[in-house]
Amino acid sequence: MADNQSFAQDLERLEAIVRKLETGELDLDEALQLFEEGVERLRSARTRLESAEAKVKQVLTDRAGALRLQDLDG
């Protein structure tokens, strides 16, 4: 479902799901369906973040294998 969505699209959909669930106007089945979709989108977003973190760490690792920490502001 969310595999072909971008990280930003996952977040936008999650926000929409939360807004809809917070209204309290859904019946139990609709709320459960939206909750399940939200969990799937959250998992997808978390996986993307973990992948991005691994790539950043790989880029920052020097030839000796030591992690160089750099301030992103400077």
Side-chain angles (χ1 to χ4, degrees):
M1 167 203 341
D3 289 344
N4 60 357
Q5 299 289 312
S6 74
F7 181 77
Q9 289 171 321
D10 278 339
L11 289 183
E12 287 175 14
R13 181 62 181 147
L14 277 168
E15 289 172 0
I17 289 170
V18 169
R19 283 192 302 271
K20 206 164 189 184
L21 288 171
E22 287 178 337
T23 66
E25 298 174 359
L26 302 172
D27 67 30
L28 182 59
D29 289 333
E30 291 172 315
L32 183 56
Q33 184 178 15
L34 279 177
F35 178 78
E36 289 174 352
E37 180 186 348
V39 169
E40 287 297 320
R41 297 225 181 223
L42 183 60
R43 286 182 181 146
S44 173
R46 182 179 297 146
T47 299
R48 290 174 195 272
L49 282 175
E50 289 170 353
S51 176
E53 181 181 18
K55 288 178 184 177
V56 167
K57 284 182 180 179
Q58 182 180 10
V59 168
L60 294 178
T61 302
D62 65 13
R63 293 176 195 232
L67 187 62
R68 296 174 309 185
L69 299 179
Q70 297 176 341
D71 186 359
L72 296 178
D73 293 336

